[in-house]
Amino acid sequence: MDNFFQFFIDNRDFIYLIILSIFLGIEVISNVPAILHTPLMSGANAIHGVVIIGAIIVMGHADSNNTLAMILGFIAVLLGTLNVVGGFVVTDRMLEMFKKKDKK
Amino acid sequence: MNLLSQIGILELSYVVASVTFILGLKMLSNPKTARKGNLIAAFGMGLAILTTILFHRDPDTGEHIKNIGWIIGALLIGTVGGAWVSRIVKMTAMPQMVSFFNGMGGATAALIGMIEFNKLALHGVEGSLLNGHVLVMVLGVFIGSVSFAGSMIAYGKLEGKIKDKALPFQHTINLIMLVVILGLGAFIMLQDAPDMNLFFVLMGLSLVYGVFFVLPIGGADMPVVISLLNSFTGLAAAMGGFLYNNMAMLTGGILVGSAGTILTILMCKAMNRSLLNVVIGSFGGSAKGGSGTSSESGGTYRETNPSDTAIMCAYANQVMIVPGYGLAVAQAQHTCHEFEKMLSNRGVNVIYGIHPVAGRMPGHMNVLLAEADVPYDKLIEADDANPMLANTDVVLVIGANDVVNPAAKDDPSSPIFGMPIIDAEKAKQVIVFKRSMRPGYAGIENRLFFNSNTGMLFGDAKDSLEKLISELKNM
């Protein structure tokens, strides 16, 4: 039990952050109309591409003699970039359609 | 620049990035601001990537980011490849594209966990492995691998390359696998030293689990599955945030995890199904039974021709077009808009009845018709369209099937029973544009086609619409 309390006390700020972020995520999109479900999903898809930062960190501190880490790190940065760039571009292309009609 | 200001800029940029993610999601939920929201989030992401490369330091050694050449190389290839693929992909293939990119994110998260654990295995650890640090690696690899494998299967299904398949007792097998994977995760953490081989087994099992998780789910439910896997990847990204004590990854990941989960539930609601129902996949299972019995009671249908249809529409007061996936496949949105304009010019009031899940994804039809410059106010959502049907002379069902199937209202044995539909049969006349009498995506027979006020216009949606246009011109 003490371990648990120690863990809780050590990570209190994180726990608050997580709880508040969860509620924020729910709140932020709760009024979305059905027509925007697909673009919103695509946009959220691009945002979790933030995992790219982890890939850069892991690659940036990899020992260049460690071939496995170098190869996996390179792939991680590459795939993460695909997620970010592809995600945002696809979302933009979908939303481009909406914008055209706003002008008219 | 001194150390303090470098770290300060880095952390500040993460705050900015987190705010842009929140703002971006918020703006993405409103049609007016959506595009800007996407750009804002993209800006935040770019900023965070740039400052990470410039200012990140290893917390133990204080070293700057190394291997810059490799990183920039991967970034460049990824940017060019990602931008190119997403530029050339057809609008109809957007759903699987999202799934593909989602899988990439999942794979990234899994690889990060993998490499970090490999580091531990090489350098050894003091004390027990039973700590938060190892836990987030295990979870990152597990969730990331499931998301990657699942997204690839979803991609394959939407491309039509992978069929719905289920092993006998699939759900029991999946449950057992899940328990085994979680047990293995715990076992890894209880070892005295990090065991890389066990970690490879963990990754392998998670990949197989991802495949098994998505494989039995019906192709029509893929949008929901992609949305769910999307939130999984968000969680996997958040695990990376814990690993590196990185606030941008943490807030971005959790935000997508929770928003993605809610979005998944909203999508299920639009189809009047529960998430559990989708995941357990009763759809695919009972659909086979449903089509078997109802196809026998098919009855006769009436075939019509373009000339009759064109006359009918030209002298109607109100025409409602109900588009579906067939319209998307035939790329008929521009032709459809042209036909609609010609009718409007003759004084016919033409509107579109948009079912929220018509096509392969929620909102698919809106995107498609918007591409063809159909005015926004002509797109009527199902709830508002239904009361208008009584005053509608002709409903043109173009390449849609399940979303106008009356079985959803009155046949409790039907797999789509309870799903809200566009009640096309309430209109005076119904014309169904279809290539053949084959049942739709859910594999269910549609009684609407056999009604006395329904005419079937067979052929490719685009060809049929072109014929209608030329008939109108000759009138």
Side-chain angles (χ1 to χ4, degrees), chain A residues 14 18 22 24-25 29 35-36 38 41 45 48 58-62 66 76 80-81 83 88 90 92-93 97 99 101, chain B residues 31 35 38 56 58 66-67 70 86-87 89 102 105 108 116 122 230 233 242 245 250 258-259 361-362 366 370-371 376:
Chain A
F14 271 133
I18 293 166
I22 290 175
L24 184 64
I29 67 144
I35 56 161
L36 280 175
T38 302
M41 173 164 106
N45 176 39
H48 69 49
V58 86
M59 180 76 189
H61 301 301
N66 183 348
T81 316
N83 184 184
F88 282 120
V90 161
D92 191 59
R93 260 191 77 191
M97 312 297 166
K99 206 189 168 204
K101 101 194 115 190
Chain B
R35 199 175 180 200
N38 184 51
H56 188 272
D58 189 294
K66 297 179 294 186
N67 307 321
W70 289 103
S86 24
R87 281 274 155 216
V89 64
N102 182 46
T108 308
E116 285 298 330
L122 284 178
N230 194 25
T233 312
F242 284 119
N245 207 351
L250 200 57
S258 84
M361 279 205 145
N366 303 72
E371 186 194 345
Y376 194 68

CSV table of all heavy atoms in Angstrom, one decimal, chain A residues 14 18 22 24-25 29 35-36 38 41 45 48 58-62 66 76 80-81 83 88 90 92-93 97 99 101, chain B residues 31 35 38 56 58 66-67 70 86-87 89 102 105 108 116 122 230 233 242 245 250 258-259 361-362 366 370-371 376:
chain,number,residue,atom,x,y,z
A,14,PHE,N,1.2,14.5,-12.9
A,14,PHE,CA,0.9,13.7,-14.1
A,14,PHE,C,-0.6,13.3,-14.0
A,14,PHE,O,-1.3,13.3,-15.0
A,14,PHE,CB,1.8,12.5,-14.2
A,14,PHE,CG,3.0,12.8,-15.0
A,14,PHE,CD1,4.3,12.4,-14.5
A,14,PHE,CD2,3.0,13.5,-16.2
A,14,PHE,CE1,5.4,12.6,-15.2
A,14,PHE,CE2,4.1,13.7,-16.9
A,14,PHE,CZ,5.4,13.3,-16.4
A,18,ILE,N,-3.4,14.1,-16.7
A,18,ILE,CA,-4.1,13.1,-17.5
A,18,ILE,C,-5.6,13.2,-17.3
A,18,ILE,O,-6.4,13.3,-18.3
A,18,ILE,CB,-3.7,11.6,-17.0
A,18,ILE,CG1,-2.2,11.4,-17.4
A,18,ILE,CG2,-4.6,10.6,-17.7
A,18,ILE,CD1,-1.7,10.2,-16.7
A,22,ILE,N,-8.2,14.2,-20.4
A,22,ILE,CA,-9.3,13.3,-20.9
A,22,ILE,C,-10.6,14.1,-21.0
A,22,ILE,O,-11.2,14.1,-22.0
A,22,ILE,CB,-9.4,12.1,-19.9
A,22,ILE,CG1,-8.2,11.2,-20.0
A,22,ILE,CG2,-10.7,11.4,-20.2
A,22,ILE,CD1,-8.2,10.0,-19.0
A,24,LEU,N,-10.9,17.3,-21.2
A,24,LEU,CA,-10.8,18.3,-22.3
A,24,LEU,C,-11.0,17.7,-23.7
A,24,LEU,O,-11.7,18.2,-24.5
A,24,LEU,CB,-9.3,18.9,-22.2
A,24,LEU,CG,-9.1,20.0,-23.2
A,24,LEU,CD1,-9.9,21.2,-22.9
A,24,LEU,CD2,-7.6,20.4,-23.2
A,25,GLY,N,-10.4,16.5,-23.9
A,25,GLY,CA,-10.6,15.8,-25.2
A,25,GLY,C,-12.1,15.6,-25.4
A,25,GLY,O,-12.6,15.7,-26.5
A,29,ILE,N,-14.6,18.0,-28.5
A,29,ILE,CA,-15.2,17.5,-29.7
A,29,ILE,C,-16.7,17.1,-29.6
A,29,ILE,O,-17.3,16.6,-30.5
A,29,ILE,CB,-14.5,16.4,-30.4
A,29,ILE,CG1,-14.5,15.1,-29.5
A,29,ILE,CG2,-13.0,16.7,-30.6
A,29,ILE,CD1,-14.6,13.9,-30.3
A,35,ILE,N,-21.1,15.5,-40.3
A,35,ILE,CA,-20.4,15.7,-41.5
A,35,ILE,C,-18.9,15.8,-41.3
A,35,ILE,O,-18.1,15.6,-42.2
A,35,ILE,CB,-20.9,16.9,-42.3
A,35,ILE,CG1,-20.8,18.1,-41.5
A,35,ILE,CG2,-22.3,16.7,-42.9
A,35,ILE,CD1,-20.9,19.4,-42.3
A,36,LEU,N,-18.6,16.2,-40.1
A,36,LEU,CA,-17.1,16.5,-39.8
A,36,LEU,C,-16.5,15.3,-39.1
A,36,LEU,O,-15.3,15.3,-38.7
A,36,LEU,CB,-16.9,17.7,-38.9
A,36,LEU,CG,-17.0,19.0,-39.7
A,36,LEU,CD1,-17.0,20.2,-38.8
A,36,LEU,CD2,-15.9,19.1,-40.7
A,38,THR,N,-15.4,12.4,-40.3
A,38,THR,CA,-14.2,11.9,-41.0
A,38,THR,C,-13.0,12.9,-40.9
A,38,THR,O,-11.9,12.5,-40.6
A,38,THR,CB,-14.6,11.6,-42.4
A,38,THR,OG1,-15.6,10.6,-42.4
A,38,THR,CG2,-13.4,11.0,-43.2
A,41,MET,N,-11.6,12.9,-37.4
A,41,MET,CA,-10.8,11.7,-37.1
A,41,MET,C,-9.4,11.8,-37.8
A,41,MET,O,-8.4,11.5,-37.2
A,41,MET,CB,-11.5,10.5,-37.7
A,41,MET,CG,-10.8,9.2,-37.6
A,41,MET,SD,-11.9,7.9,-37.8
A,41,MET,CE,-11.5,7.4,-39.4
A,45,ASN,N,-5.8,12.0,-36.1
A,45,ASN,CA,-4.8,11.0,-36.5
A,45,ASN,C,-3.5,11.7,-36.8
A,45,ASN,O,-2.4,11.3,-36.4
A,45,ASN,CB,-5.3,10.4,-37.8
A,45,ASN,CG,-4.4,9.5,-38.5
A,45,ASN,OD1,-3.7,8.7,-37.8
A,45,ASN,ND2,-4.3,9.5,-39.8
A,48,HIS,N,-1.8,12.7,-33.3
A,48,HIS,CA,-1.0,11.7,-32.5
A,48,HIS,C,0.3,11.4,-33.2
A,48,HIS,O,1.1,10.7,-32.6
A,48,HIS,CB,-1.9,10.5,-32.2
A,48,HIS,CG,-2.2,9.6,-33.3
A,48,HIS,ND1,-1.4,9.1,-34.2
A,48,HIS,CD2,-3.4,9.0,-33.6
A,48,HIS,CE1,-2.0,8.4,-35.1
A,48,HIS,NE2,-3.2,8.3,-34.8
A,58,VAL,N,14.8,9.4,-29.6
A,58,VAL,CA,15.4,8.1,-29.5
A,58,VAL,C,16.5,7.9,-30.6
A,58,VAL,O,17.6,7.4,-30.3
A,58,VAL,CB,14.3,6.9,-29.6
A,58,VAL,CG1,14.0,6.6,-31.0
A,58,VAL,CG2,14.8,5.7,-28.9
A,59,MET,N,16.3,8.5,-31.7
A,59,MET,CA,17.3,8.4,-32.8
A,59,MET,C,18.4,9.3,-32.5
A,59,MET,O,19.6,9.0,-32.7
A,59,MET,CB,16.6,8.8,-34.1
A,59,MET,CG,17.5,8.8,-35.3
A,59,MET,SD,17.8,7.1,-35.9
A,59,MET,CE,19.1,7.4,-37.1
A,60,GLY,N,18.1,10.5,-31.9
A,60,GLY,CA,19.1,11.5,-31.6
A,60,GLY,C,20.1,11.1,-30.5
A,60,GLY,O,21.2,11.6,-30.5
A,61,HIS,N,19.6,10.2,-29.7
A,61,HIS,CA,20.5,9.7,-28.6
A,61,HIS,C,21.0,8.3,-28.8
A,61,HIS,O,21.5,7.7,-27.9
A,61,HIS,CB,19.9,10.0,-27.3
A,61,HIS,CG,19.5,11.4,-27.0
A,61,HIS,ND1,20.5,12.4,-27.0
A,61,HIS,CD2,18.3,12.0,-26.8
A,61,HIS,CE1,19.9,13.6,-26.8
A,61,HIS,NE2,18.6,13.4,-26.7
A,62,ALA,N,20.7,7.8,-30.0
A,62,ALA,CA,21.1,6.4,-30.3
A,62,ALA,C,22.6,6.4,-30.5
A,62,ALA,O,23.2,7.3,-31.1
A,62,ALA,CB,20.4,5.8,-31.5
A,66,ASN,N,25.4,1.1,-32.5
A,66,ASN,CA,24.3,0.1,-32.2
A,66,ASN,C,23.4,0.1,-33.5
A,66,ASN,O,22.5,0.8,-33.6
A,66,ASN,CB,23.5,0.6,-31.0
A,66,ASN,CG,22.4,-0.4,-30.6
A,66,ASN,OD1,22.1,-1.3,-31.4
A,66,ASN,ND2,21.8,-0.2,-29.5
A,76,ALA,N,11.6,4.5,-37.4
A,76,ALA,CA,10.6,5.2,-36.5
A,76,ALA,C,10.4,6.6,-36.9
A,76,ALA,O,9.3,7.1,-37.1
A,76,ALA,CB,11.0,5.1,-35.0
A,80,GLY,N,6.9,8.0,-38.5
A,80,GLY,CA,6.3,9.0,-37.7
A,80,GLY,C,6.1,10.2,-38.6
A,80,GLY,O,5.0,10.9,-38.6
A,81,THR,N,7.0,10.5,-39.5
A,81,THR,CA,6.9,11.7,-40.4
A,81,THR,C,5.7,11.4,-41.4
A,81,THR,O,4.9,12.3,-41.7
A,81,THR,CB,8.1,11.9,-41.2
A,81,THR,OG1,9.3,11.8,-40.4
A,81,THR,CG2,8.1,13.2,-41.9
A,83,ASN,N,3.1,9.7,-40.8
A,83,ASN,CA,1.9,9.9,-40.0
A,83,ASN,C,1.6,11.4,-39.9
A,83,ASN,O,0.4,11.8,-40.2
A,83,ASN,CB,2.1,9.3,-38.6
A,83,ASN,CG,0.8,9.4,-37.7
A,83,ASN,OD1,0.8,9.0,-36.6
A,83,ASN,ND2,-0.3,9.9,-38.3
A,88,PHE,N,-1.9,15.4,-41.9
A,88,PHE,CA,-2.3,16.8,-42.1
A,88,PHE,C,-2.7,17.1,-43.5
A,88,PHE,O,-3.7,17.8,-43.8
A,88,PHE,CB,-1.2,17.8,-41.6
A,88,PHE,CG,-1.1,18.0,-40.1
A,88,PHE,CD1,0.0,17.6,-39.4
A,88,PHE,CD2,-2.2,18.4,-39.4
A,88,PHE,CE1,0.1,17.8,-38.0
A,88,PHE,CE2,-2.2,18.6,-38.0
A,88,PHE,CZ,-1.0,18.2,-37.3
A,90,VAL,N,-3.9,15.0,-45.8
A,90,VAL,CA,-5.2,14.3,-46.1
A,90,VAL,C,-6.3,15.1,-45.5
A,90,VAL,O,-7.4,15.4,-46.2
A,90,VAL,CB,-5.2,12.9,-45.6
A,90,VAL,CG1,-6.6,12.3,-45.5
A,90,VAL,CG2,-4.4,12.0,-46.6
A,92,ASP,N,-6.4,18.3,-44.8
A,92,ASP,CA,-6.5,19.5,-45.5
A,92,ASP,C,-7.2,19.3,-46.8
A,92,ASP,O,-8.1,20.1,-47.2
A,92,ASP,CB,-5.1,20.1,-45.8
A,92,ASP,CG,-5.3,21.6,-46.3
A,92,ASP,OD1,-5.9,22.4,-45.5
A,92,ASP,OD2,-4.8,21.8,-47.4
A,93,ARG,N,-6.9,18.2,-47.5
A,93,ARG,CA,-7.6,17.9,-48.7
A,93,ARG,C,-9.1,17.7,-48.5
A,93,ARG,O,-9.9,18.1,-49.4
A,93,ARG,CB,-7.0,16.7,-49.4
A,93,ARG,CG,-6.0,17.0,-50.5
A,93,ARG,CD,-5.6,15.8,-51.3
A,93,ARG,NE,-6.6,15.4,-52.2
A,93,ARG,CZ,-6.6,14.3,-52.9
A,93,ARG,NH1,-5.6,13.5,-52.7
A,93,ARG,NH2,-7.5,14.0,-53.7
A,97,MET,N,-12.5,20.9,-49.6
A,97,MET,CA,-13.8,20.7,-50.3
A,97,MET,C,-14.9,21.6,-49.6
A,97,MET,O,-15.7,22.2,-50.2
A,97,MET,CB,-14.3,19.3,-50.2
A,97,MET,CG,-13.3,18.3,-50.6
A,97,MET,SD,-12.9,18.5,-52.3
A,97,MET,CE,-11.4,17.5,-52.4
A,99,LYS,N,-14.3,24.3,-47.9
A,99,LYS,CA,-14.0,25.7,-48.0
A,99,LYS,C,-14.5,26.3,-49.3
A,99,LYS,O,-15.0,27.4,-49.4
A,99,LYS,CB,-12.5,25.9,-47.9
A,99,LYS,CG,-12.2,27.3,-47.4
A,99,LYS,CD,-10.7,27.6,-47.5
A,99,LYS,CE,-10.5,29.1,-47.2
A,99,LYS,NZ,-9.2,29.6,-47.8
A,101,LYS,N,-17.0,25.7,-51.0
A,101,LYS,CA,-18.4,26.1,-51.1
A,101,LYS,C,-18.7,27.2,-50.2
A,101,LYS,O,-19.7,27.9,-50.4
A,101,LYS,CB,-19.2,24.8,-50.8
A,101,LYS,CG,-19.8,24.8,-49.4
A,101,LYS,CD,-20.3,23.4,-49.1
A,101,LYS,CE,-19.4,22.7,-48.1
A,101,LYS,NZ,-19.7,21.3,-47.9
B,31,PRO,N,-17.5,23.4,-39.1
B,31,PRO,CA,-17.2,23.5,-40.5
B,31,PRO,C,-16.5,24.8,-41.0
B,31,PRO,O,-15.7,24.8,-41.9
B,31,PRO,CB,-18.6,23.4,-41.2
B,31,PRO,CG,-19.5,22.9,-40.2
B,31,PRO,CD,-19.0,23.2,-38.9
B,35,ARG,N,-10.7,24.0,-41.4
B,35,ARG,CA,-9.4,23.9,-42.2
B,35,ARG,C,-8.3,24.7,-41.5
B,35,ARG,O,-7.2,24.3,-41.4
B,35,ARG,CB,-9.7,24.5,-43.6
B,35,ARG,CG,-8.6,24.1,-44.5
B,35,ARG,CD,-8.9,24.5,-45.9
B,35,ARG,NE,-7.8,24.1,-46.8
B,35,ARG,CZ,-7.5,24.6,-47.9
B,35,ARG,NH1,-8.2,25.6,-48.4
B,35,ARG,NH2,-6.5,24.1,-48.7
B,38,ASN,N,-6.9,22.7,-38.6
B,38,ASN,CA,-5.9,21.7,-39.1
B,38,ASN,C,-4.5,22.3,-39.3
B,38,ASN,O,-3.5,21.8,-38.9
B,38,ASN,CB,-6.4,21.1,-40.3
B,38,ASN,CG,-5.5,19.9,-40.8
B,38,ASN,OD1,-5.2,19.0,-40.1
B,38,ASN,ND2,-5.1,20.0,-42.1
B,56,HIS,N,16.9,19.7,-27.9
B,56,HIS,CA,16.7,18.6,-26.9
B,56,HIS,C,18.1,18.1,-26.5
B,56,HIS,O,19.0,18.0,-27.2
B,56,HIS,CB,15.9,17.5,-27.6
B,56,HIS,CG,15.6,16.4,-26.6
B,56,HIS,ND1,16.4,15.4,-26.3
B,56,HIS,CD2,14.5,16.3,-25.7
B,56,HIS,CE1,15.9,14.6,-25.3
B,56,HIS,NE2,14.7,15.2,-25.0
B,58,ASP,N,20.0,15.0,-23.9
B,58,ASP,CA,19.8,13.8,-23.1
B,58,ASP,C,19.8,14.2,-21.6
B,58,ASP,O,20.7,14.9,-21.2
B,58,ASP,CB,21.0,12.9,-23.4
B,58,ASP,CG,20.7,11.5,-22.8
B,58,ASP,OD1,20.7,11.4,-21.6
B,58,ASP,OD2,20.5,10.6,-23.6
B,66,LYS,N,22.0,13.8,-31.7
B,66,LYS,CA,23.1,13.3,-32.7
B,66,LYS,C,22.4,12.8,-33.9
B,66,LYS,O,21.2,12.8,-34.0
B,66,LYS,CB,24.0,12.2,-32.0
B,66,LYS,CG,24.7,12.7,-30.8
B,66,LYS,CD,25.5,11.5,-30.2
B,66,LYS,CE,24.6,10.4,-29.7
B,66,LYS,NZ,25.3,9.3,-29.0
B,67,ASN,N,23.2,12.2,-34.8
B,67,ASN,CA,22.7,11.5,-36.0
B,67,ASN,C,21.8,12.4,-36.8
B,67,ASN,O,20.8,12.0,-37.4
B,67,ASN,CB,21.9,10.2,-35.6
B,67,ASN,CG,22.8,9.3,-34.7
B,67,ASN,OD1,24.0,9.2,-34.9
B,67,ASN,ND2,22.1,8.7,-33.8
B,70,TRP,N,20.9,11.5,-40.4
B,70,TRP,CA,19.9,10.4,-40.5
B,70,TRP,C,18.5,10.9,-40.2
B,70,TRP,O,17.5,10.6,-40.9
B,70,TRP,CB,20.2,9.3,-39.5
B,70,TRP,CG,21.4,8.5,-39.9
B,70,TRP,CD1,22.7,8.6,-39.4
B,70,TRP,CD2,21.6,7.5,-40.9
B,70,TRP,NE1,23.6,7.8,-40.0
B,70,TRP,CE2,22.9,7.1,-41.0
B,70,TRP,CE3,20.7,7.0,-41.9
B,70,TRP,CZ2,23.4,6.1,-41.9
B,70,TRP,CZ3,21.1,6.1,-42.8
B,70,TRP,CH2,22.4,5.6,-42.8
B,86,SER,N,-0.6,11.4,-50.2
B,86,SER,CA,-1.9,12.0,-49.9
B,86,SER,C,-2.4,12.9,-50.9
B,86,SER,O,-3.6,13.3,-50.9
B,86,SER,CB,-1.9,12.6,-48.5
B,86,SER,OG,-0.6,13.0,-48.1
B,87,ARG,N,-1.5,13.4,-51.8
B,87,ARG,CA,-2.0,14.3,-52.9
B,87,ARG,C,-2.7,13.5,-54.0
B,87,ARG,O,-3.6,13.9,-54.6
B,87,ARG,CB,-0.9,15.1,-53.5
B,87,ARG,CG,-0.5,16.3,-52.6
B,87,ARG,CD,-1.3,17.5,-53.0
B,87,ARG,NE,-1.3,18.4,-51.8
B,87,ARG,CZ,-2.3,19.1,-51.5
B,87,ARG,NH1,-3.5,19.1,-52.1
B,87,ARG,NH2,-2.3,19.9,-50.4
B,89,VAL,N,-4.0,10.4,-53.8
B,89,VAL,CA,-5.0,9.4,-53.5
B,89,VAL,C,-6.4,10.0,-53.9
B,89,VAL,O,-6.6,11.2,-53.7
B,89,VAL,CB,-4.9,9.1,-52.0
B,89,VAL,CG1,-5.2,10.3,-51.1
B,89,VAL,CG2,-5.9,8.0,-51.6
B,102,ASN,N,-2.5,6.1,-39.7
B,102,ASN,CA,-2.7,5.7,-38.3
B,102,ASN,C,-1.7,4.6,-37.9
B,102,ASN,O,-1.1,4.6,-36.9
B,102,ASN,CB,-4.1,5.4,-38.0
B,102,ASN,CG,-4.4,5.0,-36.6
B,102,ASN,OD1,-3.9,5.7,-35.7
B,102,ASN,ND2,-5.1,4.0,-36.3
B,105,GLY,N,1.8,5.7,-37.3
B,105,GLY,CA,2.0,6.3,-35.9
B,105,GLY,C,2.1,5.2,-34.9
B,105,GLY,O,2.9,5.2,-34.0
B,108,THR,N,5.5,3.6,-35.1
B,108,THR,CA,6.5,4.5,-34.5
B,108,THR,C,6.5,4.3,-33.0
B,108,THR,O,7.6,4.2,-32.4
B,108,THR,CB,6.2,6.0,-34.8
B,108,THR,OG1,6.0,6.1,-36.2
B,108,THR,CG2,7.3,6.9,-34.4
B,116,GLU,N,14.1,1.7,-26.7
B,116,GLU,CA,14.4,2.0,-25.3
B,116,GLU,C,14.6,0.8,-24.5
B,116,GLU,O,15.5,0.8,-23.6
B,116,GLU,CB,13.2,2.9,-24.7
B,116,GLU,CG,13.2,4.3,-25.2
B,116,GLU,CD,14.5,5.1,-24.8
B,116,GLU,OE1,15.1,4.8,-23.8
B,116,GLU,OE2,14.8,6.0,-25.6
B,122,LEU,N,21.1,-3.5,-23.1
B,122,LEU,CA,22.5,-3.3,-23.4
B,122,LEU,C,23.2,-2.8,-22.1
B,122,LEU,O,24.3,-3.2,-21.8
B,122,LEU,CB,22.7,-2.4,-24.5
B,122,LEU,CG,22.4,-3.0,-25.9
B,122,LEU,CD1,22.6,-1.9,-27.0
B,122,LEU,CD2,23.3,-4.2,-26.2
B,230,ASN,N,-7.3,4.7,-33.9
B,230,ASN,CA,-6.8,6.1,-33.8
B,230,ASN,C,-6.6,6.5,-32.4
B,230,ASN,O,-5.5,7.0,-32.0
B,230,ASN,CB,-7.8,7.0,-34.5
B,230,ASN,CG,-7.3,8.3,-34.9
B,230,ASN,OD1,-6.1,8.5,-35.0
B,230,ASN,ND2,-8.2,9.3,-35.0
B,233,THR,N,-3.6,4.6,-30.9
B,233,THR,CA,-2.3,5.2,-31.3
B,233,THR,C,-2.1,6.5,-30.4
B,233,THR,O,-1.0,6.7,-30.0
B,233,THR,CB,-2.3,5.6,-32.7
B,233,THR,OG1,-2.7,4.5,-33.5
B,233,THR,CG2,-0.9,6.0,-33.2
B,242,PHE,N,5.3,9.8,-21.4
B,242,PHE,CA,5.7,9.4,-20.0
B,242,PHE,C,7.2,9.0,-20.0
B,242,PHE,O,8.0,9.4,-19.2
B,242,PHE,CB,4.9,8.2,-19.5
B,242,PHE,CG,3.5,8.5,-19.1
B,242,PHE,CD1,2.5,7.9,-19.7
B,242,PHE,CD2,3.3,9.4,-18.0
B,242,PHE,CE1,1.2,8.3,-19.3
B,242,PHE,CE2,2.1,9.7,-17.6
B,242,PHE,CZ,1.0,9.1,-18.3
B,245,ASN,N,9.2,12.1,-20.4
B,245,ASN,CA,8.7,13.2,-19.6
B,245,ASN,C,8.4,14.4,-20.6
B,245,ASN,O,8.8,15.5,-20.3
B,245,ASN,CB,9.8,13.6,-18.6
B,245,ASN,CG,9.2,14.2,-17.4
B,245,ASN,OD1,8.1,14.6,-17.4
B,245,ASN,ND2,10.1,14.4,-16.4
B,250,LEU,N,2.6,13.9,-24.4
B,250,LEU,CA,1.7,13.5,-23.4
B,250,LEU,C,0.3,14.1,-23.6
B,250,LEU,O,-0.7,13.4,-23.7
B,250,LEU,CB,2.2,13.9,-22.0
B,250,LEU,CG,1.6,13.1,-20.8
B,250,LEU,CD1,1.8,11.7,-21.0
B,250,LEU,CD2,2.3,13.6,-19.5
B,258,SER,N,-8.6,10.4,-25.8
B,258,SER,CA,-10.0,10.6,-25.3
B,258,SER,C,-10.9,11.1,-26.4
B,258,SER,O,-12.0,10.7,-26.5
B,258,SER,CB,-10.0,11.5,-24.1
B,258,SER,OG,-9.9,12.9,-24.4
B,259,ALA,N,-10.5,12.1,-27.2
B,259,ALA,CA,-11.3,12.6,-28.2
B,259,ALA,C,-11.7,11.5,-29.2
B,259,ALA,O,-12.8,11.4,-29.7
B,259,ALA,CB,-10.7,13.8,-29.0
B,361,MET,N,-17.6,6.1,-44.9
B,361,MET,CA,-17.2,6.8,-43.7
B,361,MET,C,-18.2,7.9,-43.4
B,361,MET,O,-18.8,8.4,-44.3
B,361,MET,CB,-15.9,7.6,-43.9
B,361,MET,CG,-14.7,6.7,-43.7
B,361,MET,SD,-13.3,7.8,-43.3
B,361,MET,CE,-12.5,6.7,-42.2
B,362,PRO,N,-18.4,8.2,-42.1
B,362,PRO,CA,-19.3,9.3,-41.8
B,362,PRO,C,-18.9,10.6,-42.4
B,362,PRO,O,-17.7,10.9,-42.4
B,362,PRO,CB,-19.2,9.4,-40.2
B,362,PRO,CG,-18.7,8.1,-39.8
B,362,PRO,CD,-17.9,7.6,-40.9
B,366,ASN,N,-20.7,14.3,-47.8
B,366,ASN,CA,-20.5,15.7,-47.8
B,366,ASN,C,-19.2,16.1,-48.4
B,366,ASN,O,-19.2,17.1,-49.2
B,366,ASN,CB,-20.5,16.2,-46.3
B,366,ASN,CG,-21.8,15.7,-45.6
B,366,ASN,OD1,-21.9,14.6,-45.3
B,366,ASN,ND2,-22.7,16.7,-45.3
B,370,ALA,N,-19.2,18.3,-51.8
B,370,ALA,CA,-18.6,19.6,-51.7
B,370,ALA,C,-17.5,19.7,-52.8
B,370,ALA,O,-17.3,20.8,-53.3
B,370,ALA,CB,-18.0,19.7,-50.3
B,371,GLU,N,-16.8,18.6,-53.1
B,371,GLU,CA,-15.8,18.6,-54.1
B,371,GLU,C,-16.4,19.0,-55.5
B,371,GLU,O,-15.8,19.7,-56.3
B,371,GLU,CB,-15.2,17.2,-54.3
B,371,GLU,CG,-14.0,17.2,-55.2
B,371,GLU,CD,-13.6,15.7,-55.6
B,371,GLU,OE1,-14.1,14.8,-54.9
B,371,GLU,OE2,-12.9,15.6,-56.6
B,376,TYR,N,-23.8,24.1,-49.9
B,376,TYR,CA,-23.9,23.5,-48.5
B,376,TYR,C,-25.4,23.3,-48.1
B,376,TYR,O,-25.8,22.3,-47.5
B,376,TYR,CB,-23.2,24.4,-47.6
B,376,TYR,CG,-22.9,23.8,-46.2
B,376,TYR,CD1,-22.0,22.7,-46.1
B,376,TYR,CD2,-23.5,24.3,-45.1
B,376,TYR,CE1,-21.8,22.2,-44.9
B,376,TYR,CE2,-23.3,23.8,-43.9
B,376,TYR,CZ,-22.4,22.7,-43.7
B,376,TYR,OH,-22.2,22.2,-42.5
